[in-house]
Amino acid sequence: MSEFNLNLSAAEEHLEDDVEGEVVLGVLDGTTADEEWIDTVEQGNVLVLAVEGDLNELANGFARPVKDVGGNLTHFRRFLVVSPPGVEINTERL
């Protein structure tokens, strides 16, 4: 087997220190304005929303604007996961 050298100290120098954003948990039930969801994603946050009602109707007002700016939306079980541009949602294990 060949020897593998990994210098973690050198690798840390290439990592970005200014990681922004957070995971925001919420409920998608029609009580929160679409603009609030859009603003949250545009600020670099990931939304994990428990869907209470018809997903297509509830997400209609913010899904297209999020996709237009490069965000992603994925429905998983009873949740809608919404990520900002540059944050992919990996669904390979589903």
Side-chain angles (χ1 to χ4, degrees):
M1 188 185 311
S2 66
E3 195 172 313
F4 182 74
N5 293 322
L6 179 61
N7 184 343
L8 294 178
S9 298
E12 287 178 347
E13 293 175 9
H14 298 285
L15 296 175
E16 292 183 30
D17 292 331
D18 298 333
V19 176
E20 294 184 24
E22 57 189 9
V23 176
V24 177
L25 304 179
V27 178
L28 183 60
D29 60 3
T31 60
T32 301
D34 294 328
E35 294 78 24
E36 188 173 333
W37 296 134
I38 295 167
D39 290 343
T40 301
V41 173
E42 286 180 339
Q43 293 170 8
N45 300 306
V46 174
L47 296 173
V48 179
L49 305 174
V51 179
E52 292 188 359
D54 181 77
L55 174 62
N56 292 327
E57 182 180 313
L58 293 169
N60 185 45
F62 70 88
R64 177 58 47 204
V66 166
K67 286 183 149 268
D68 287 346
V69 298
N72 298 289
L73 295 94
T74 300
H75 185 218
F76 176 65
R77 298 196 179 196
R78 287 181 254 163
F79 296 92
L80 180 63
V81 181
V82 185
S83 67
V87 177
E88 297 299 320
I89 300 172
N90 185 331
T91 59
E92 289 180 15
R93 295 185 180 191
L94 296 182

